[in-house]
Amino acid sequence: VIQRLARRLVWAVFVVWATVTLAFVVSHALPSDPARMVAGAQARPQDIARIRKELGLDQSLFVQYARFMDRLVHFGPSDTAVGKEHATCAQIVGPLHLDLGKSAQQRRPVVTILAERLPRTIVLALAAAFVQVLLGVGAGVLAASRKKTAVDHLAVGASLLGISAPTFIIGLFFQWLFAHRLGVLPLDGWGDTFSAHVASVILPALTLGVFGAAYYTRLVRDEMIGQLNQDYVRTARAKGLSRGKVVIRHALRNALMPIVTILGVDVGTLVGGAIVTESIFRWPGLGSLSVAAMLDRDGPVIMGCVIVTAVAVVVSTIAVDFAYAALDPRVRAER
Amino acid sequence: MRSIRASSSALRSIVRGVGLALALAIAGCSTEFPAPIPSAHPDSAEPRRGGILTSASFGEIRTLDPANIGDGIVVQILEAMFAGLVDYDLDGKIVPDLADHWTVSEDGRSIRFVLREGVRFHDGDEVTADDVKRSVERALHPSAPNPYSTYFASILGYAAFTEKKAEHLEGVSVEGRYVVTFTLDKPDAAFMPLLAMHPLRPVCKSGGTRYSDTWMPCGAGPFKLMPGGWDRGRQITVVRHEGYFRPGLPHLDAVRYLFHVNFTSQRFKFTSGQQDILRDFLAPDLLRIQADPRWTPFGRYDLDTQVAGLAMNTEMPPFDNVEFRRAVATALDREQLRLVRAGNLRPAFTPVPPQVEGYDPSLKGQHFDLAEALEHMKRAGYPYDPVTRTGGYPTPIPYLTYSQGLDEFMVQVTMQQLARIGIRLDVRIVNYAAFLALRGRRKQVAFGPQFWAQDYPEAGSFLEPLFHSRSINDEDSNNAAFYKNPRVDELIDRGRRELDLDRRKKIYGEAQEIICDEAPWAFTHYYRFYAQWQPYVHDYKPHPVWTTDPKRVWLDRVAGPVAARAVFSGDALAKLFGDRP
């Protein structure tokens, strides 16, 4: 298992490196000027040139890349507060530093910005995944076990609606209904206290959840119908197990495999940022950060967001792999 | 049979559900605005102390350092936090602020300021002439990412200081605790207007002699930032500076700005009293609220401070032909174009917006005349017959614009208008950053939108960057038409040196006549914002330069927040969980 994990980690590092390099090249190839975006649309060429130099953008792409990679992971003093040189670093473990540089726009270390945003995004991602699974699997199981009844049709119909309606429609509708009309939940934002955070996460999580749940409903339903027709289900029923027990304990467990795959990828993507939902609900997460960074050509922040997203997807894929083993004895045996 | 019926009833319920949702959504978007929230004491004009004024924007700020300004939203917050030697009043006139008075030398080259005594920074220190000099040097030193640095190049010794050949700026001298003199290398009509802007405003001693990214902003303005007051990407709250030098001001306890609030959310927040001023409108909402007599007493246009038009690159064919440019400028029906966003646009015929100093209503300017435009096309060598639709310019002209901006909509009308004189456009849309980069590059973009907001409220702030040949550069050229006319250059330079207002207006007027005639731009519209406030907001007047100046605003709300309806809101849940908001 350890050897397998090590192999996966090496592969993961390569994937992240390749993504970052690609993103670096692409963001530099665009016909735009980060210094102009810092200085403003009306700044004079001389002022732009001074800012460009100050940001190190007057160097060649190769030099910039080499400098970025050189700083990215390096060894330094165990205390980043010492000296100016490591002011933009975050410590991974002990003297191992992660340095993503300084945002051109905000002029703060990218690691600080990410540290502010990432927890908020993870909260939303997990809450949304929870809603997705709860609604999706619940409706899917119900639909499959009541195949071709009103319940089934309603679940399938609702999921069609969920898939068809984009998040900005669902989000605006929820906002209008729950926050504006009924006034039971905050309209947007993040809140100042723990309880306000909880209240604030409900609507964005529901929005993402309802949209995502639609896929799960269909997937679980089809998967479950397949499973419920299997011999082992009939055997279990013949053994005298109750219908509910068979559905939940046996069929659902087998149907979970594809769900876990999708969920893993979903969580990874959600961490990368639910861009539309974050902007509707003014959720201060990675999605809104990366959009702003992209529009402003804020290179270091773009790189930071790319790295976080790449790592999130890679980690969740590895997690899915190991979840397979936990769920399915056959996969375990193969190893 | 059963299942069919079931499914059809399920389908019906879905259809009903969707219908209901859509109806609600449409109703939510199209109902008229609810009634304004009245003042608690409508008959009293006595300012009341206290309260938080909340406004919002869809954008964000990235810094609060006067030596590093780069976005339009931040100026109103800087205005609340930093006082300058001079400032703009509500009529756009320059008035004393930290300076008690000033005298200009006979040759116009030096200005001697005498400061008010006893003015306190947010940290309690007194503002002295040393602080003025230190703050100027801090903002103009090349270590500061100040995008406006070169605007102050007329200060004596600027070049030596910015090239690090001198430790101090020669042109700023301290002549006592409360006296500071600015010396310029030549008379500069733009200097006082520029000084009234934010970059050189005095900062606390904690700001040091050189710019630093980690400084906690601190000035001498009516409001101050407390630790934790700025939650990046979300909101900023500045609180009353108890030591502010104008007695009794400000009335408000605090001012709060929310960021990244989209237009629909702003509308919801505004109508429920969670936001007191609304400036970002969906186009139909703006027209609706302007037509609602309950709201009109509490709304007003800002001054127009932006001009927009179509820049024609005079170095690239076919726009190197002045007759061709005249044809375009004469073919645009600005009254029709304006309707793309009727609530905000006014037709433009000259480069200087009506309320900016140097606007001259007697100028002929550009105008719309289809027959004349066709005549110009003929003279340019591309006669067009509108009846048979033959002739005109043989190939579509590439037109570069940017996504998610107003021009994306306006260009559709522009295309139709230019088609009437035989000009076809090939519209290419890129993102804003790419648009800016390409537009300023030599011989890159033949045709496209261009817009300019005043840096300071004076004609020179428009004419010099847009039409002076000095503003031409191979990259990042602000003169996007790459327009060059020695006579115009000379007039602009003369205007900048002319300290007499009437003579200056005349000089700038002559320059504008030439520019309108030679048409490096076809001017299209001036953009102005509309501000709407709740009746309980008093003495709020849109500021001609800063948008909002909260110094004199006061609130008179019914006790208790109107918006406390949310049962599951933070407050209610806080009680449930037992933690304090």
Side-chain angles (χ1 to χ4, degrees):
Chain A
V1 173
I2 290 171
Q3 197 194 350
R4 193 179 148 73
L5 186 64
R7 213 166 48 223
R8 297 297 307 234
L9 281 180
V10 171
W11 177 241
V13 169
F14 172 76
V15 168
V16 173
W17 171 80
T19 316
V20 168
T21 305
L22 193 68
F24 199 93
V25 173
V26 167
S27 76
H28 281 78
L30 296 170
S32 57
D33 181 2
R36 164 62 98 175
M37 300 313 287
V38 169
Q42 299 190 182
R44 295 179 181 177
Q46 305 91 305
D47 290 314
I48 298 172
R50 183 168 40 79
I51 289 168
R52 185 180 298 126
K53 197 170 164 203
E54 204 246 351
L55 294 172
L57 297 167
D58 53 338
Q59 307 280 347
S60 72
L61 175 59
F62 184 75
V63 171
Q64 289 185 50
Y65 179 73
R67 193 185 288 165
F68 173 76
M69 278 299 171
D70 184 42
R71 296 280 299 171
L72 187 57
V73 179
H74 64 261
F75 289 99
S78 307
D79 186 3
T80 48
V82 180
K84 263 190 161 172
E85 203 185 322
H86 295 279
T88 56
C89 295
Q91 282 163 270
I92 305 173
V93 270
L96 194 61
H97 285 195
L98 173 71
D99 184 4
L100 292 163
K102 205 157 72 170
S103 156
Q105 290 280 333
Q106 300 191 30
R107 304 188 63 88
R108 297 192 301 153
V110 175
V111 285
T112 312
I113 299 172
L114 291 178
E116 280 169 12
R117 298 284 186 131
L118 193 57
R120 297 170 177 181
T121 287
I122 290 177
V123 165
L124 180 58
L126 293 182
F130 176 74
V131 174
Q132 276 179 10
V133 171
L134 198 71
L135 288 183
V137 173
V141 169
L142 218 59
S145 57
R146 304 259 190 283
K147 198 170 66 169
K148 293 193 176 156
T149 64
V151 176
D152 182 18
H153 291 297
L154 194 69
V156 171
S159 75
L160 184 68
L161 191 64
I163 292 174
S164 316
T167 46
F168 65 87
I169 295 285
I170 305 178
L172 282 180
F173 176 66
F174 280 170
Q175 245 181 357
W176 177 80
L177 184 65
F178 292 109
H180 184 63
R181 199 77 203 187
L182 303 175
V184 290
L185 287 166
L187 187 66
D188 58 15
W190 158 255
D192 295 319
T193 58
F194 175 74
S195 44
H197 299 333
V198 174
S200 304
V201 81
I202 296 175
L203 286 185
L206 266 183
T207 303
L208 280 173
V210 165
F211 184 64
Y215 290 96
Y216 288 75
T217 306
R218 308 213 128 201
L219 200 71
V220 171
R221 179 181 174 274
D222 294 352
E223 204 50 47
M224 283 291 281
I225 289 172
Q227 294 292 342
L228 287 174
N229 285 335
Q230 298 272 331
D231 288 344
Y232 74 88
V233 172
R234 215 167 305 137
T235 315
R237 286 285 280 156
K239 221 163 59 170
L241 283 180
S242 74
R243 188 181 151 83
K245 228 174 189 166
V246 173
V247 170
I248 303 295
R249 283 278 296 279
H250 293 268
L252 181 60
R253 186 165 171 170
N254 280 313
L256 273 184
M257 297 289 287
I259 312 293
V260 168
T261 316
I262 302 225
L263 183 67
V265 178
D266 261 5
V267 170
T269 324
L270 283 170
V271 169
I275 291 163
V276 174
T277 308
E278 280 192 6
S279 74
I280 291 177
F281 290 98
R282 214 156 66 87
W283 191 260
L286 278 184
S288 44
L289 179 72
S290 44
V291 171
M294 219 35 232
L295 292 178
D296 290 335
R297 297 293 185 270
D298 193 342
V301 177
I302 298 176
M303 288 304 125
C305 292
V306 167
I307 289 176
V308 168
T309 313
V311 168
V313 171
V314 166
V315 166
S316 55
T317 321
I318 295 178
V320 164
D321 248 26
F322 283 85
Y324 273 168
L327 280 174
D328 192 338
R330 283 169 303 184
V331 178
R332 234 170 326 186
E334 270 172 31
R335 291 174 183 175
Chain B
M1 190 64 202
R2 177 183 165 268
S3 76
I4 292 170
R5 228 185 19 239
S7 81
S8 73
S9 81
L11 196 68
R12 261 206 306 276
S13 70
I14 292 168
V15 169
R16 216 176 292 142
V18 175
L20 183 67
L22 278 177
L24 287 174
I26 291 164
C29 297
S30 71
T31 46
E32 61 177 19
F33 275 75
I37 303 171
S39 196
H41 308 83
D43 304 326
S44 162
E46 183 67 27
R48 279 159 203 278
R49 209 167 162 83
I52 302 177
L53 180 76
T54 305
S55 53
S57 169
F58 62 91
E60 199 196 335
I61 60 163
R62 51 168 216 230
T63 163
L64 281 173
D65 195 316
N68 173 25
I69 309 165
D71 50 63
I73 310 167
V74 77
V75 293
Q76 51 182 308
I77 307 173
L78 292 178
E79 178 61 17
M81 290 176 62
F82 296 90
L85 289 175
V86 288
D87 198 356
Y88 287 105
D89 68 4
L90 286 167
D91 299 319
K93 293 278 168 286
I94 294 175
V95 291
D97 201 26
L98 292 179
D100 184 67
H101 60 277
W102 66 87
T103 45
V104 183
S105 69
E106 211 141 283
D107 62 0
R109 283 184 51 223
S110 76
I111 306 143
R112 185 171 181 269
F113 291 95
V114 178
L115 305 187
R116 284 172 197 265
E117 295 181 22
V119 175
R120 300 282 161 189
F121 279 122
H122 297 158
D123 61 7
D125 282 344
E126 194 184 9
V127 182
T128 64
D130 283 324
D131 293 313
V132 175
K133 181 172 169 67
R134 178 178 51 78
S135 303
V136 170
E137 291 184 349
R138 177 182 179 276
L140 297 184
H141 192 267
S143 61
N146 180 357
Y148 294 100
S149 178
T150 58
Y151 283 63
F152 299 94
S154 61
I155 299 177
L156 195 67
Y158 174 87
F161 181 67
T162 52
E163 286 157 21
K164 296 191 185 173
K165 287 177 194 153
E167 182 67 11
H168 291 286
L169 189 54
E170 193 190 339
V172 184
S173 50
V174 174
E175 296 167 10
R177 191 171 165 84
Y178 302 110
V179 182
V180 60
T181 298
F182 285 75
T183 311
L184 311 177
D185 55 14
K186 54 179 179 292
D188 183 2
F191 181 73
M192 285 299 276
L194 282 168
L195 190 67
M197 307 304 290
H198 297 120
L200 303 189
R201 292 197 171 182
V203 299
C204 298
K205 292 185 177 61
S206 59
T209 55
R210 296 290 178 259
Y211 173 89
S212 151
D213 283 332
T214 50
W215 175 58
M216 164 101 175
C218 171
F223 293 91
K224 63 180 176 179
L225 182 68
M226 300 298 279
W230 184 13
D231 187 351
R232 294 209 181 228
R234 251 189 83 207
Q235 65 182 42
I236 181 169
T237 309
V238 288
V239 302
R240 177 167 53 220
H241 170 31
E242 296 292 352
Y244 185 56
F245 68 90
R246 293 182 198 275
L249 293 181
H251 301 301
L252 297 165
D253 284 339
V255 182
R256 176 173 294 154
Y257 304 88
L258 309 177
F259 305 127
H260 291 306
V261 192
N262 61 47
F263 291 13
T264 35
S265 295
Q266 284 199 38
R267 186 194 146 155
F268 291 156
K269 280 176 193 285
F270 179 72
T271 52
S272 66
Q274 298 172 61
Q275 178 183 330
D276 308 314
I277 300 168
L278 182 62
R279 291 165 48 85
D280 294 339
F281 287 93
L282 293 170
D285 276 353
L286 179 53
L287 296 176
R288 202 170 289 130
I289 206 163
Q290 284 176 333
D292 188 333
R294 297 170 306 166
W295 282 100
T296 41
F298 312 105
R300 213 178 86 180
Y301 275 110
D302 293 357
L303 306 188
D304 334 48
T305 53
Q306 278 182 48
V307 65
L310 308 178
M312 296 174 262
N313 193 328
T314 56
E315 292 183 343
M316 292 172 77
F319 300 110
D320 51 355
N321 181 336
V322 67
E323 285 296 336
F324 200 90
R325 299 201 301 267
R326 283 180 182 139
V328 171
T330 323
L332 294 181
D333 181 354
R334 283 122 179 128
E335 284 296 343
Q336 193 181 50
L337 270 171
R338 177 189 88 80
L339 297 177
V340 172
R341 204 170 158 113
N344 297 103
L345 307 187
R346 284 210 279 183
F349 304 97
T350 64
V352 178
Q355 284 135 340
V356 171
E357 194 186 286
Y359 170 77
D360 185 350
S362 67
L363 283 186
K364 191 163 154 259
Q366 298 177 339
H367 60 280
F368 164 58
D369 185 334
L370 210 50
E372 198 184 316
L374 288 166
E375 183 58 32
H376 285 303
M377 282 298 278
K378 196 194 270 174
R379 273 186 240 156
Y382 306 104
Y384 178 70
D385 182 352
V387 180
T388 58
R389 296 187 182 176
T390 49
Y393 194 69
T395 54
I397 298 170
Y399 179 98
L400 189 81
T401 187
Y402 58 99
S403 56
Q404 293 175 356
L406 187 60
D407 194 63
E408 223 176 15
F409 302 99
M410 300 205 65
V411 69
Q412 299 175 37
V413 184
T414 310
M415 281 173 88
Q416 296 173 31
Q417 295 191 353
L418 293 181
R420 295 188 293 200
I421 59 166
I423 296 175
R424 289 168 296 152
L425 299 184
D426 172 16
V427 177
R428 295 165 188 184
I429 302 179
V430 296
N431 61 58
Y432 187 58
F435 170 76
L436 286 184
L438 294 172
R439 182 186 74 183
R441 200 170 285 168
R442 201 153 202 159
K443 302 212 171 169
Q444 181 84 40
V445 178
F447 196 26
Q450 164 77 307
F451 33 84
W452 195 262
Q454 64 182 28
D455 283 317
Y456 49 94
E458 214 238 347
S461 176
F462 292 87
L463 301 181
E464 188 176 332
L466 298 176
F467 305 111
H468 198 294
S469 68
R470 195 166 47 230
S471 307
I472 293 178
N473 208 50
D474 286 344
E475 293 277 339
D476 298 314
S477 182
N478 281 332
N479 182 344
F482 295 85
Y483 173 68
K484 199 181 220 170
N485 181 330
R487 176 69 186 149
V488 170
D489 287 358
E490 196 247 310
L491 286 167
I492 294 174
D493 288 340
R494 193 138 58 86
R496 184 148 185 185
R497 281 194 308 270
E498 179 55 67
L499 300 182
D500 182 81
L501 181 62
D502 288 330
R503 280 204 294 265
R504 190 164 67 232
K505 268 188 180 170
K506 233 178 129 213
I507 296 168
Y508 282 149
E510 193 185 336
Q512 290 181 64
E513 285 283 18
I514 302 174
I515 292 165
C516 288
D517 173 52
E518 297 200 332
W521 282 33
F523 302 103
T524 53
H525 60 269
Y526 307 119
Y527 195 98
R528 54 180 181 170
F529 284 95
Y530 187 78
Q532 185 75 57
W533 57 92
Q534 288 281 6
Y536 59 75
V537 179
H538 292 269
D539 286 347
Y540 173 79
K541 295 183 182 79
H543 194 283
V545 188
W546 314 128
T547 316
T548 303
D549 178 8
K551 214 169 17 240
R552 293 187 171 79
V553 175
W554 53 282
L555 299 175
D556 184 20
R557 298 188 74 156
V558 178
V562 183
R565 298 182 300 179
V567 266
F568 277 118
S569 68
D571 291 348
L573 275 182
K575 279 183 204 129
L576 214 64
F577 283 92
D579 59 4
R580 277 184 215 94

